[in-house]
Structures are given as C-alpha cells and as structure tokens.
Amino acid sequence: MTTNDRLLTVEEAAERLGTGVRFIRRLIAERRIRYVKLGKHVRIADSVLTAYIAERTVEPVRGRRVGYGLVV
C-alpha cells in the first residue's frame, strides 16, 4: 500500500472486482485480502485489489493442439 493509495469502501471494491459485496466481506472475514480498519469502518486499498487481481490472473497455455484438445 502506498501513501497516495485510494482507500475504497467494501461496495466500491465489489464494484471494481465485478462481484457482490458479500464476496468482499467473505475475503475480509477469511483474511484472504489485506484491509484497513478505521473504527467500525473497513477500507481496502486500491493497490491491494490490483495485487489480488494480478495474483489470480491465469495465463493462457501456448502450444499446438494435437487431437482431442490436448496441448503439446
């Protein structure tokens, strides 16, 4: 998290990831994502969401297909 990082509400984080608020709250409850607790309010840094997306991005398999969809 950088000092100029924007802190997003749970609703804004859900919108950014294209998910529901419930999913974000579950990530927080299971401590699968870093967050900031400000009194009773929870905020998620924009850079944390960027890192979360990067860590879970799956690269495509490159190669030629040989029968039955197998990649060699």
Short mmCIF file of all heavy atoms in Angstrom, two decimals:
data_model
loop_
_atom_site.label_atom_id
_atom_site.label_comp_id
_atom_site.label_asym_id
_atom_site.label_seq_id
_atom_site.Cartn_x
_atom_site.Cartn_y
_atom_site.Cartn_z
N MET A 1 0.84 -1.17 0.00
CA MET A 1 0.00 0.00 0.00
C MET A 1 0.89 1.24 0.00
O MET A 1 1.79 1.36 0.82
CB MET A 1 -0.91 -0.02 1.24
CG MET A 1 -1.93 1.06 1.23
SD MET A 1 -3.21 0.82 2.46
CE MET A 1 -2.57 1.79 3.78
N THR A 2 0.63 2.14 -0.91
CA THR A 2 1.40 3.38 -0.98
C THR A 2 0.68 4.48 -0.21
O THR A 2 -0.51 4.37 0.10
CB THR A 2 1.61 3.81 -2.44
OG1 THR A 2 0.34 4.10 -3.02
CG2 THR A 2 2.30 2.74 -3.25
N THR A 3 1.39 5.57 0.06
CA THR A 3 0.78 6.66 0.83
C THR A 3 -0.31 7.39 0.04
O THR A 3 -1.21 7.95 0.64
CB THR A 3 1.85 7.67 1.26
OG1 THR A 3 2.57 8.11 0.11
CG2 THR A 3 2.81 7.05 2.26
N ASN A 4 -0.23 7.40 -1.27
CA ASN A 4 -1.24 8.07 -2.10
C ASN A 4 -2.32 7.12 -2.57
O ASN A 4 -3.12 7.47 -3.43
CB ASN A 4 -0.57 8.73 -3.31
CG ASN A 4 0.36 9.86 -2.89
OD1 ASN A 4 0.19 10.44 -1.83
ND2 ASN A 4 1.34 10.14 -3.71
N ASP A 5 -2.35 5.93 -2.02
CA ASP A 5 -3.31 4.90 -2.42
C ASP A 5 -4.71 5.27 -1.96
O ASP A 5 -4.92 5.64 -0.81
CB ASP A 5 -2.89 3.57 -1.78
CG ASP A 5 -3.22 2.39 -2.66
OD1 ASP A 5 -3.83 2.58 -3.72
OD2 ASP A 5 -2.86 1.29 -2.26
N ARG A 6 -5.66 5.15 -2.85
CA ARG A 6 -7.05 5.45 -2.51
C ARG A 6 -7.64 4.29 -1.72
O ARG A 6 -7.49 3.13 -2.09
CB ARG A 6 -7.85 5.66 -3.79
CG ARG A 6 -9.28 6.05 -3.52
CD ARG A 6 -9.94 6.63 -4.77
NE ARG A 6 -11.30 6.99 -4.45
CZ ARG A 6 -12.35 6.24 -4.75
NH1 ARG A 6 -12.20 5.11 -5.41
NH2 ARG A 6 -13.56 6.62 -4.42
N LEU A 7 -8.33 4.60 -0.63
CA LEU A 7 -9.00 3.58 0.17
C LEU A 7 -10.44 3.47 -0.29
O LEU A 7 -11.17 4.46 -0.34
CB LEU A 7 -8.95 3.94 1.67
CG LEU A 7 -7.57 3.95 2.30
CD1 LEU A 7 -7.66 4.40 3.75
CD2 LEU A 7 -6.93 2.58 2.22
N LEU A 8 -10.83 2.25 -0.65
CA LEU A 8 -12.16 2.00 -1.19
C LEU A 8 -13.06 1.39 -0.12
O LEU A 8 -12.60 0.63 0.73
CB LEU A 8 -12.08 1.03 -2.37
CG LEU A 8 -11.14 1.42 -3.51
CD1 LEU A 8 -11.03 0.28 -4.51
CD2 LEU A 8 -11.61 2.68 -4.18
N THR A 9 -14.34 1.71 -0.20
CA THR A 9 -15.31 1.05 0.67
C THR A 9 -15.51 -0.37 0.16
O THR A 9 -15.08 -0.72 -0.96
CB THR A 9 -16.66 1.79 0.66
OG1 THR A 9 -17.21 1.71 -0.66
CG2 THR A 9 -16.52 3.23 1.10
N VAL A 10 -16.18 -1.17 0.94
CA VAL A 10 -16.47 -2.55 0.52
C VAL A 10 -17.32 -2.52 -0.75
O VAL A 10 -17.08 -3.31 -1.68
CB VAL A 10 -17.19 -3.32 1.65
CG1 VAL A 10 -17.67 -4.67 1.18
CG2 VAL A 10 -16.27 -3.47 2.85
N GLU A 11 -18.25 -1.62 -0.82
CA GLU A 11 -19.11 -1.50 -2.01
C GLU A 11 -18.30 -1.13 -3.25
O GLU A 11 -18.50 -1.69 -4.33
CB GLU A 11 -20.23 -0.48 -1.78
CG GLU A 11 -21.25 -0.90 -0.75
CD GLU A 11 -20.80 -0.75 0.70
OE1 GLU A 11 -19.75 -0.07 0.95
OE2 GLU A 11 -21.45 -1.33 1.58
N GLU A 12 -17.37 -0.18 -3.10
CA GLU A 12 -16.53 0.24 -4.23
C GLU A 12 -15.60 -0.89 -4.66
O GLU A 12 -15.37 -1.08 -5.86
CB GLU A 12 -15.70 1.46 -3.85
CG GLU A 12 -16.53 2.73 -3.68
CD GLU A 12 -15.75 3.88 -3.09
OE1 GLU A 12 -14.81 3.65 -2.31
OE2 GLU A 12 -16.09 5.04 -3.41
N ALA A 13 -15.07 -1.64 -3.68
CA ALA A 13 -14.19 -2.77 -4.01
C ALA A 13 -14.96 -3.84 -4.77
O ALA A 13 -14.46 -4.42 -5.74
CB ALA A 13 -13.60 -3.36 -2.73
N ALA A 14 -16.19 -4.10 -4.35
CA ALA A 14 -17.02 -5.09 -5.04
C ALA A 14 -17.31 -4.65 -6.47
O ALA A 14 -17.24 -5.46 -7.40
CB ALA A 14 -18.33 -5.29 -4.28
N GLU A 15 -17.58 -3.38 -6.65
CA GLU A 15 -17.83 -2.86 -8.00
C GLU A 15 -16.59 -2.98 -8.86
O GLU A 15 -16.66 -3.36 -10.03
CB GLU A 15 -18.27 -1.40 -7.91
CG GLU A 15 -18.68 -0.81 -9.23
CD GLU A 15 -19.17 0.62 -9.10
OE1 GLU A 15 -19.80 0.94 -8.09
OE2 GLU A 15 -18.92 1.40 -10.04
N ARG A 16 -15.43 -2.67 -8.29
CA ARG A 16 -14.18 -2.76 -9.05
C ARG A 16 -13.90 -4.18 -9.50
O ARG A 16 -13.43 -4.42 -10.61
CB ARG A 16 -13.02 -2.24 -8.20
CG ARG A 16 -11.67 -2.54 -8.78
CD ARG A 16 -10.80 -1.32 -8.93
NE ARG A 16 -9.64 -1.64 -9.72
CZ ARG A 16 -8.44 -1.95 -9.21
NH1 ARG A 16 -8.25 -1.93 -7.92
NH2 ARG A 16 -7.45 -2.25 -10.01
N LEU A 17 -14.18 -5.18 -8.63
CA LEU A 17 -13.93 -6.57 -9.00
C LEU A 17 -15.09 -7.19 -9.77
O LEU A 17 -14.97 -8.29 -10.27
CB LEU A 17 -13.66 -7.41 -7.73
CG LEU A 17 -12.36 -7.13 -7.00
CD1 LEU A 17 -12.24 -8.07 -5.80
CD2 LEU A 17 -11.16 -7.29 -7.91
N GLY A 18 -16.19 -6.48 -9.85
CA GLY A 18 -17.35 -7.01 -10.56
C GLY A 18 -18.02 -8.14 -9.80
O GLY A 18 -18.54 -9.08 -10.39
N THR A 19 -17.99 -8.05 -8.48
CA THR A 19 -18.59 -9.08 -7.63
C THR A 19 -19.59 -8.42 -6.69
O THR A 19 -19.76 -7.21 -6.69
CB THR A 19 -17.51 -9.79 -6.77
OG1 THR A 19 -16.96 -8.84 -5.87
CG2 THR A 19 -16.43 -10.39 -7.62
N GLY A 20 -20.19 -9.25 -5.87
CA GLY A 20 -21.11 -8.73 -4.87
C GLY A 20 -20.36 -8.32 -3.61
O GLY A 20 -19.22 -8.73 -3.38
N VAL A 21 -21.01 -7.53 -2.79
CA VAL A 21 -20.45 -7.09 -1.52
C VAL A 21 -20.17 -8.29 -0.62
O VAL A 21 -19.18 -8.33 0.11
CB VAL A 21 -21.42 -6.10 -0.83
CG1 VAL A 21 -20.97 -5.76 0.57
CG2 VAL A 21 -21.55 -4.84 -1.67
N ARG A 22 -21.03 -9.28 -0.70
CA ARG A 22 -20.88 -10.48 0.14
C ARG A 22 -19.54 -11.17 -0.10
O ARG A 22 -18.90 -11.66 0.83
CB ARG A 22 -22.04 -11.43 -0.15
CG ARG A 22 -22.14 -12.57 0.77
CD ARG A 22 -23.41 -13.32 0.47
NE ARG A 22 -23.50 -14.48 1.32
CZ ARG A 22 -24.48 -15.34 1.28
NH1 ARG A 22 -25.48 -15.16 0.46
NH2 ARG A 22 -24.48 -16.37 2.07
N PHE A 23 -19.09 -11.23 -1.36
CA PHE A 23 -17.80 -11.86 -1.69
C PHE A 23 -16.65 -11.10 -1.03
O PHE A 23 -15.75 -11.71 -0.45
CB PHE A 23 -17.62 -11.90 -3.21
CG PHE A 23 -16.29 -12.45 -3.64
CD1 PHE A 23 -16.01 -13.80 -3.52
CD2 PHE A 23 -15.31 -11.62 -4.14
CE1 PHE A 23 -14.78 -14.32 -3.91
CE2 PHE A 23 -14.07 -12.12 -4.53
CZ PHE A 23 -13.81 -13.47 -4.41
N ILE A 24 -16.69 -9.77 -1.10
CA ILE A 24 -15.63 -8.96 -0.50
C ILE A 24 -15.63 -9.15 1.02
O ILE A 24 -14.57 -9.31 1.64
CB ILE A 24 -15.82 -7.46 -0.84
CG1 ILE A 24 -15.79 -7.24 -2.36
CG2 ILE A 24 -14.75 -6.62 -0.15
CD1 ILE A 24 -14.50 -7.61 -3.04
N ARG A 25 -16.80 -9.15 1.63
CA ARG A 25 -16.88 -9.35 3.07
C ARG A 25 -16.35 -10.74 3.48
O ARG A 25 -15.73 -10.88 4.53
CB ARG A 25 -18.30 -9.16 3.56
CG ARG A 25 -18.77 -7.73 3.43
CD ARG A 25 -19.91 -7.40 4.35
NE ARG A 25 -20.39 -6.05 4.13
CZ ARG A 25 -19.84 -4.96 4.62
NH1 ARG A 25 -18.76 -5.04 5.36
NH2 ARG A 25 -20.35 -3.77 4.39
N ARG A 26 -16.56 -11.74 2.63
CA ARG A 26 -16.03 -13.07 2.92
C ARG A 26 -14.50 -13.08 2.81
O ARG A 26 -13.82 -13.68 3.63
CB ARG A 26 -16.62 -14.11 1.97
CG ARG A 26 -16.24 -15.54 2.38
CD ARG A 26 -16.92 -16.57 1.55
NE ARG A 26 -16.60 -16.30 0.15
CZ ARG A 26 -17.37 -16.65 -0.86
NH1 ARG A 26 -18.49 -17.29 -0.68
NH2 ARG A 26 -17.01 -16.39 -2.10
N LEU A 27 -13.94 -12.38 1.81
CA LEU A 27 -12.49 -12.27 1.70
C LEU A 27 -11.91 -11.63 2.96
O LEU A 27 -10.87 -12.05 3.47
CB LEU A 27 -12.10 -11.42 0.49
CG LEU A 27 -12.33 -12.01 -0.90
CD1 LEU A 27 -11.95 -10.98 -1.96
CD2 LEU A 27 -11.55 -13.28 -1.09
N ILE A 28 -12.59 -10.62 3.48
CA ILE A 28 -12.13 -9.94 4.69
C ILE A 28 -12.25 -10.86 5.89
O ILE A 28 -11.31 -10.99 6.67
CB ILE A 28 -12.95 -8.64 4.90
CG1 ILE A 28 -12.59 -7.62 3.81
CG2 ILE A 28 -12.69 -8.06 6.29
CD1 ILE A 28 -13.52 -6.44 3.73
N ALA A 29 -13.38 -11.52 6.04
CA ALA A 29 -13.61 -12.39 7.20
C ALA A 29 -12.61 -13.54 7.24
O ALA A 29 -12.15 -13.94 8.31
CB ALA A 29 -15.04 -12.93 7.16
N GLU A 30 -12.26 -14.07 6.06
CA GLU A 30 -11.32 -15.18 5.97
C GLU A 30 -9.87 -14.69 5.92
O GLU A 30 -8.96 -15.50 5.77
CB GLU A 30 -11.64 -16.04 4.75
CG GLU A 30 -12.98 -16.72 4.84
CD GLU A 30 -13.38 -17.44 3.56
OE1 GLU A 30 -12.63 -17.36 2.55
OE2 GLU A 30 -14.45 -18.06 3.57
N ARG A 31 -9.69 -13.37 6.00
CA ARG A 31 -8.36 -12.75 5.95
C ARG A 31 -7.57 -13.15 4.70
O ARG A 31 -6.38 -13.40 4.75
CB ARG A 31 -7.57 -13.07 7.20
CG ARG A 31 -8.32 -12.73 8.47
CD ARG A 31 -7.60 -11.76 9.26
NE ARG A 31 -8.45 -11.36 10.39
CZ ARG A 31 -7.99 -10.69 11.39
NH1 ARG A 31 -6.75 -10.36 11.43
NH2 ARG A 31 -8.79 -10.33 12.36
N ARG A 32 -8.28 -13.22 3.58
CA ARG A 32 -7.64 -13.56 2.31
C ARG A 32 -7.23 -12.32 1.54
O ARG A 32 -6.63 -12.41 0.47
CB ARG A 32 -8.61 -14.40 1.47
CG ARG A 32 -8.84 -15.77 2.09
CD ARG A 32 -9.93 -16.57 1.43
NE ARG A 32 -9.88 -16.54 -0.01
CZ ARG A 32 -10.94 -16.79 -0.78
NH1 ARG A 32 -12.09 -17.08 -0.25
NH2 ARG A 32 -10.83 -16.75 -2.08
N ILE A 33 -7.55 -11.14 2.09
CA ILE A 33 -7.19 -9.88 1.44
C ILE A 33 -6.85 -8.88 2.55
O ILE A 33 -7.43 -8.91 3.64
CB ILE A 33 -8.36 -9.37 0.55
CG1 ILE A 33 -7.89 -8.27 -0.37
CG2 ILE A 33 -9.55 -8.93 1.39
CD1 ILE A 33 -8.88 -7.95 -1.48
N ARG A 34 -5.86 -8.01 2.28
CA ARG A 34 -5.47 -7.00 3.27
C ARG A 34 -6.51 -5.89 3.29
O ARG A 34 -7.06 -5.52 2.26
CB ARG A 34 -4.11 -6.42 2.89
CG ARG A 34 -3.00 -7.42 3.06
CD ARG A 34 -1.66 -6.90 2.60
NE ARG A 34 -1.36 -5.61 3.20
CZ ARG A 34 -0.69 -4.65 2.59
NH1 ARG A 34 -0.25 -4.82 1.37
NH2 ARG A 34 -0.44 -3.51 3.19
N TYR A 35 -6.77 -5.37 4.48
CA TYR A 35 -7.73 -4.29 4.62
C TYR A 35 -7.32 -3.39 5.76
O TYR A 35 -6.45 -3.72 6.56
CB TYR A 35 -9.14 -4.82 4.83
CG TYR A 35 -9.31 -5.64 6.09
CD1 TYR A 35 -9.73 -5.06 7.27
CD2 TYR A 35 -9.05 -7.01 6.09
CE1 TYR A 35 -9.89 -5.81 8.43
CE2 TYR A 35 -9.21 -7.77 7.23
CZ TYR A 35 -9.63 -7.16 8.40
OH TYR A 35 -9.78 -7.91 9.53
N VAL A 36 -7.95 -2.22 5.82
CA VAL A 36 -7.68 -1.23 6.86
C VAL A 36 -8.95 -1.08 7.69
O VAL A 36 -10.03 -0.91 7.14
CB VAL A 36 -7.29 0.14 6.25
CG1 VAL A 36 -7.06 1.18 7.33
CG2 VAL A 36 -6.07 -0.01 5.36
N LYS A 37 -8.80 -1.14 8.99
CA LYS A 37 -9.94 -0.99 9.89
C LYS A 37 -9.87 0.42 10.49
O LYS A 37 -8.90 0.78 11.15
CB LYS A 37 -9.86 -2.06 10.98
CG LYS A 37 -11.02 -2.11 11.89
CD LYS A 37 -12.01 -3.10 11.38
CE LYS A 37 -13.01 -3.31 12.53
NZ LYS A 37 -14.24 -3.76 12.16
N LEU A 38 -10.87 1.24 10.24
CA LEU A 38 -10.96 2.61 10.76
C LEU A 38 -12.18 2.68 11.66
O LEU A 38 -13.28 2.96 11.20
CB LEU A 38 -11.07 3.62 9.63
CG LEU A 38 -9.94 3.60 8.59
CD1 LEU A 38 -10.30 4.44 7.39
CD2 LEU A 38 -8.67 4.10 9.23
N GLY A 39 -11.97 2.39 12.92
CA GLY A 39 -13.12 2.29 13.83
C GLY A 39 -13.96 1.10 13.42
O GLY A 39 -13.46 -0.01 13.33
N LYS A 40 -15.22 1.33 13.12
CA LYS A 40 -16.08 0.23 12.66
C LYS A 40 -16.09 0.11 11.13
O LYS A 40 -16.68 -0.81 10.58
CB LYS A 40 -17.50 0.42 13.17
CG LYS A 40 -18.22 1.61 12.61
CD LYS A 40 -19.64 1.67 13.11
CE LYS A 40 -20.38 2.82 12.44
NZ LYS A 40 -21.79 2.84 12.80
N HIS A 41 -15.41 1.02 10.47
CA HIS A 41 -15.38 1.02 9.01
C HIS A 41 -14.22 0.20 8.47
O HIS A 41 -13.14 0.19 9.05
CB HIS A 41 -15.27 2.45 8.48
CG HIS A 41 -16.38 3.34 8.95
ND1 HIS A 41 -17.65 3.27 8.45
CD2 HIS A 41 -16.39 4.30 9.90
CE1 HIS A 41 -18.41 4.15 9.06
NE2 HIS A 41 -17.67 4.79 9.96
N VAL A 42 -14.44 -0.46 7.36
CA VAL A 42 -13.41 -1.26 6.70
C VAL A 42 -13.13 -0.64 5.34
O VAL A 42 -14.07 -0.31 4.60
CB VAL A 42 -13.87 -2.72 6.53
CG1 VAL A 42 -12.88 -3.52 5.71
CG2 VAL A 42 -14.09 -3.36 7.89
N ARG A 43 -11.85 -0.47 5.02
CA ARG A 43 -11.45 0.07 3.72
C ARG A 43 -10.40 -0.84 3.11
O ARG A 43 -9.60 -1.45 3.81
CB ARG A 43 -10.87 1.48 3.86
CG ARG A 43 -11.85 2.50 4.41
CD ARG A 43 -12.97 2.80 3.42
NE ARG A 43 -13.86 3.82 3.91
CZ ARG A 43 -15.03 3.58 4.50
NH1 ARG A 43 -15.43 2.36 4.69
NH2 ARG A 43 -15.79 4.58 4.89
N ILE A 44 -10.40 -0.90 1.79
CA ILE A 44 -9.44 -1.72 1.06
C ILE A 44 -8.68 -0.80 0.10
O ILE A 44 -9.30 -0.07 -0.68
CB ILE A 44 -10.15 -2.84 0.28
CG1 ILE A 44 -10.95 -3.70 1.25
CG2 ILE A 44 -9.15 -3.67 -0.50
CD1 ILE A 44 -11.92 -4.63 0.60
N ALA A 45 -7.36 -0.86 0.18
CA ALA A 45 -6.53 -0.01 -0.69
C ALA A 45 -6.65 -0.48 -2.14
O ALA A 45 -6.73 -1.68 -2.42
CB ALA A 45 -5.08 -0.06 -0.23
N ASP A 46 -6.65 0.48 -3.03
CA ASP A 46 -6.75 0.18 -4.46
C ASP A 46 -5.61 -0.73 -4.91
O ASP A 46 -5.81 -1.65 -5.70
CB ASP A 46 -6.75 1.49 -5.24
CG ASP A 46 -7.16 1.31 -6.68
OD1 ASP A 46 -8.07 0.50 -6.94
OD2 ASP A 46 -6.57 1.97 -7.55
N SER A 47 -4.40 -0.51 -4.38
CA SER A 47 -3.25 -1.34 -4.76
C SER A 47 -3.41 -2.78 -4.29
O SER A 47 -2.91 -3.70 -4.92
CB SER A 47 -1.96 -0.76 -4.19
OG SER A 47 -1.99 -0.77 -2.79
N VAL A 48 -4.14 -2.99 -3.19
CA VAL A 48 -4.40 -4.35 -2.70
C VAL A 48 -5.28 -5.10 -3.70
O VAL A 48 -5.03 -6.27 -4.01
CB VAL A 48 -5.05 -4.31 -1.30
CG1 VAL A 48 -5.55 -5.68 -0.89
CG2 VAL A 48 -4.07 -3.77 -0.28
N LEU A 49 -6.28 -4.42 -4.24
CA LEU A 49 -7.14 -5.06 -5.24
C LEU A 49 -6.35 -5.35 -6.53
O LEU A 49 -6.53 -6.41 -7.13
CB LEU A 49 -8.35 -4.18 -5.55
CG LEU A 49 -9.37 -4.05 -4.44
CD1 LEU A 49 -10.51 -3.15 -4.89
CD2 LEU A 49 -9.90 -5.41 -4.02
N THR A 50 -5.48 -4.42 -6.90
CA THR A 50 -4.65 -4.64 -8.09
C THR A 50 -3.76 -5.87 -7.90
O THR A 50 -3.64 -6.70 -8.80
CB THR A 50 -3.79 -3.39 -8.38
OG1 THR A 50 -4.66 -2.28 -8.57
CG2 THR A 50 -2.92 -3.58 -9.60
N ALA A 51 -3.16 -6.00 -6.72
CA ALA A 51 -2.31 -7.16 -6.42
C ALA A 51 -3.14 -8.44 -6.39
O ALA A 51 -2.70 -9.49 -6.87
CB ALA A 51 -1.59 -6.96 -5.09
N TYR A 52 -4.33 -8.37 -5.82
CA TYR A 52 -5.23 -9.53 -5.74
C TYR A 52 -5.56 -10.04 -7.15
O TYR A 52 -5.52 -11.23 -7.42
CB TYR A 52 -6.50 -9.15 -4.98
CG TYR A 52 -7.46 -10.29 -4.78
CD1 TYR A 52 -7.28 -11.21 -3.77
CD2 TYR A 52 -8.57 -10.45 -5.61
CE1 TYR A 52 -8.17 -12.26 -3.58
CE2 TYR A 52 -9.45 -11.48 -5.44
CZ TYR A 52 -9.25 -12.39 -4.41
OH TYR A 52 -10.13 -13.43 -4.25
N ILE A 53 -5.86 -9.11 -8.04
CA ILE A 53 -6.18 -9.47 -9.43
C ILE A 53 -4.95 -10.09 -10.11
O ILE A 53 -5.04 -11.12 -10.77
CB ILE A 53 -6.66 -8.24 -10.21
CG1 ILE A 53 -8.02 -7.78 -9.68
CG2 ILE A 53 -6.73 -8.53 -11.71
CD1 ILE A 53 -8.45 -6.41 -10.16
N ALA A 54 -3.78 -9.48 -9.93
CA ALA A 54 -2.55 -9.97 -10.56
C ALA A 54 -2.19 -11.37 -10.06
O ALA A 54 -1.77 -12.22 -10.86
CB ALA A 54 -1.40 -9.01 -10.28
N GLU A 55 -2.36 -11.62 -8.76
CA GLU A 55 -2.02 -12.93 -8.20
C GLU A 55 -2.92 -14.05 -8.72
O GLU A 55 -2.53 -15.20 -8.77
CB GLU A 55 -2.13 -12.90 -6.67
CG GLU A 55 -1.07 -12.08 -6.00
CD GLU A 55 -1.37 -11.83 -4.53
OE1 GLU A 55 -2.37 -12.37 -4.02
OE2 GLU A 55 -0.60 -11.09 -3.90
N ARG A 56 -4.13 -13.69 -9.10
CA ARG A 56 -5.09 -14.70 -9.53
C ARG A 56 -5.31 -14.74 -11.04
O ARG A 56 -6.19 -15.43 -11.52
CB ARG A 56 -6.41 -14.47 -8.81
CG ARG A 56 -6.31 -14.98 -7.39
CD ARG A 56 -7.22 -14.27 -6.44
NE ARG A 56 -7.00 -14.74 -5.09
CZ ARG A 56 -6.02 -14.30 -4.30
NH1 ARG A 56 -5.17 -13.42 -4.72
NH2 ARG A 56 -5.88 -14.78 -3.08
N THR A 57 -4.51 -13.99 -11.77
CA THR A 57 -4.61 -14.00 -13.22
C THR A 57 -3.93 -15.25 -13.77
O THR A 57 -2.78 -15.52 -13.45
CB THR A 57 -3.96 -12.73 -13.82
OG1 THR A 57 -4.65 -11.60 -13.30
CG2 THR A 57 -4.02 -12.74 -15.34
N VAL A 58 -4.67 -15.99 -14.56
CA VAL A 58 -4.16 -17.23 -15.14
C VAL A 58 -3.77 -16.96 -16.59
O VAL A 58 -4.59 -16.49 -17.38
CB VAL A 58 -5.23 -18.35 -15.08
CG1 VAL A 58 -4.72 -19.62 -15.71
CG2 VAL A 58 -5.67 -18.56 -13.64
N GLU A 59 -2.53 -17.25 -16.91
CA GLU A 59 -2.03 -17.04 -18.26
C GLU A 59 -2.50 -18.20 -19.15
O GLU A 59 -2.57 -19.34 -18.71
CB GLU A 59 -0.50 -16.97 -18.26
CG GLU A 59 0.05 -15.78 -17.51
CD GLU A 59 -0.37 -14.45 -18.09
OE1 GLU A 59 -0.52 -14.34 -19.33
OE2 GLU A 59 -0.57 -13.51 -17.30
N PRO A 60 -2.79 -17.91 -20.42
CA PRO A 60 -3.21 -18.97 -21.32
C PRO A 60 -2.05 -19.90 -21.66
O PRO A 60 -0.89 -19.50 -21.65
CB PRO A 60 -3.67 -18.21 -22.58
CG PRO A 60 -2.95 -16.92 -22.52
CD PRO A 60 -2.76 -16.61 -21.06
N VAL A 61 -2.40 -21.13 -21.97
CA VAL A 61 -1.40 -22.13 -22.37
C VAL A 61 -1.13 -21.93 -23.85
O VAL A 61 -2.06 -21.88 -24.66
CB VAL A 61 -1.92 -23.56 -22.09
CG1 VAL A 61 -0.93 -24.59 -22.60
CG2 VAL A 61 -2.19 -23.73 -20.62
N ARG A 62 0.12 -21.81 -24.19
CA ARG A 62 0.50 -21.66 -25.61
C ARG A 62 1.04 -22.99 -26.11
O ARG A 62 1.80 -23.66 -25.42
CB ARG A 62 1.58 -20.59 -25.77
CG ARG A 62 1.17 -19.24 -25.27
CD ARG A 62 0.28 -18.56 -26.27
NE ARG A 62 -0.03 -17.21 -25.78
CZ ARG A 62 -1.12 -16.57 -26.09
NH1 ARG A 62 -2.00 -17.12 -26.89
NH2 ARG A 62 -1.35 -15.38 -25.63
N GLY A 63 0.67 -23.36 -27.27
CA GLY A 63 1.16 -24.60 -27.86
C GLY A 63 0.24 -25.05 -28.97
O GLY A 63 -0.83 -24.49 -29.18
N ARG A 64 0.63 -26.06 -29.67
CA ARG A 64 -0.22 -26.55 -30.75
C ARG A 64 -1.11 -27.66 -30.22
O ARG A 64 -0.72 -28.43 -29.35
CB ARG A 64 0.61 -27.03 -31.93
CG ARG A 64 1.54 -28.14 -31.64
CD ARG A 64 2.36 -28.49 -32.90
NE ARG A 64 3.26 -29.57 -32.60
CZ ARG A 64 2.95 -30.87 -32.72
NH1 ARG A 64 1.76 -31.21 -33.16
NH2 ARG A 64 3.82 -31.80 -32.39
N ARG A 65 -2.29 -27.72 -30.73
CA ARG A 65 -3.26 -28.74 -30.30
C ARG A 65 -3.07 -30.01 -31.12
O ARG A 65 -2.93 -29.97 -32.32
CB ARG A 65 -4.67 -28.22 -30.43
CG ARG A 65 -4.91 -27.02 -29.54
CD ARG A 65 -6.40 -26.84 -29.27
NE ARG A 65 -6.60 -25.81 -28.29
CZ ARG A 65 -6.68 -26.01 -26.99
NH1 ARG A 65 -6.61 -27.23 -26.52
NH2 ARG A 65 -6.88 -25.02 -26.16
N VAL A 66 -3.08 -31.13 -30.43
CA VAL A 66 -2.94 -32.42 -31.09
C VAL A 66 -4.12 -33.27 -30.68
O VAL A 66 -4.20 -33.73 -29.55
CB VAL A 66 -1.62 -33.13 -30.66
CG1 VAL A 66 -1.50 -34.48 -31.35
CG2 VAL A 66 -0.43 -32.25 -30.97
N GLY A 67 -5.06 -33.44 -31.57
CA GLY A 67 -6.23 -34.31 -31.31
C GLY A 67 -6.83 -34.18 -29.92
O GLY A 67 -6.15 -34.00 -28.95
N TYR A 68 -8.08 -34.27 -29.81
CA TYR A 68 -8.85 -34.26 -28.55
C TYR A 68 -8.53 -33.07 -27.67
O TYR A 68 -8.69 -33.14 -26.46
CB TYR A 68 -8.64 -35.56 -27.77
CG TYR A 68 -9.08 -36.79 -28.52
CD1 TYR A 68 -8.13 -37.68 -29.02
CD2 TYR A 68 -10.41 -37.04 -28.78
CE1 TYR A 68 -8.51 -38.80 -29.73
CE2 TYR A 68 -10.81 -38.15 -29.50
CZ TYR A 68 -9.85 -39.03 -29.97
OH TYR A 68 -10.24 -40.14 -30.69
N GLY A 69 -8.06 -31.97 -28.24
CA GLY A 69 -7.84 -30.75 -27.48
C GLY A 69 -6.60 -30.77 -26.59
O GLY A 69 -6.42 -29.88 -25.79
N LEU A 70 -5.74 -31.79 -26.70
CA LEU A 70 -4.54 -31.83 -25.88
C LEU A 70 -3.49 -30.87 -26.43
O LEU A 70 -3.30 -30.76 -27.62
CB LEU A 70 -3.95 -33.25 -25.84
CG LEU A 70 -4.86 -34.33 -25.28
CD1 LEU A 70 -4.19 -35.68 -25.42
CD2 LEU A 70 -5.16 -34.05 -23.82
N VAL A 71 -2.82 -30.19 -25.55
CA VAL A 71 -1.79 -29.25 -25.96
C VAL A 71 -0.44 -29.90 -25.74
O VAL A 71 -0.15 -30.46 -24.68
CB VAL A 71 -1.86 -27.95 -25.12
CG1 VAL A 71 -0.74 -27.01 -25.48
CG2 VAL A 71 -3.21 -27.29 -25.33
N VAL A 72 0.41 -29.84 -26.76
CA VAL A 72 1.74 -30.45 -26.67
C VAL A 72 2.78 -29.38 -26.67
O VAL A 72 2.69 -28.37 -27.27
CB VAL A 72 1.97 -31.42 -27.85
CG1 VAL A 72 3.36 -31.99 -27.80
CG2 VAL A 72 0.92 -32.50 -27.82
#
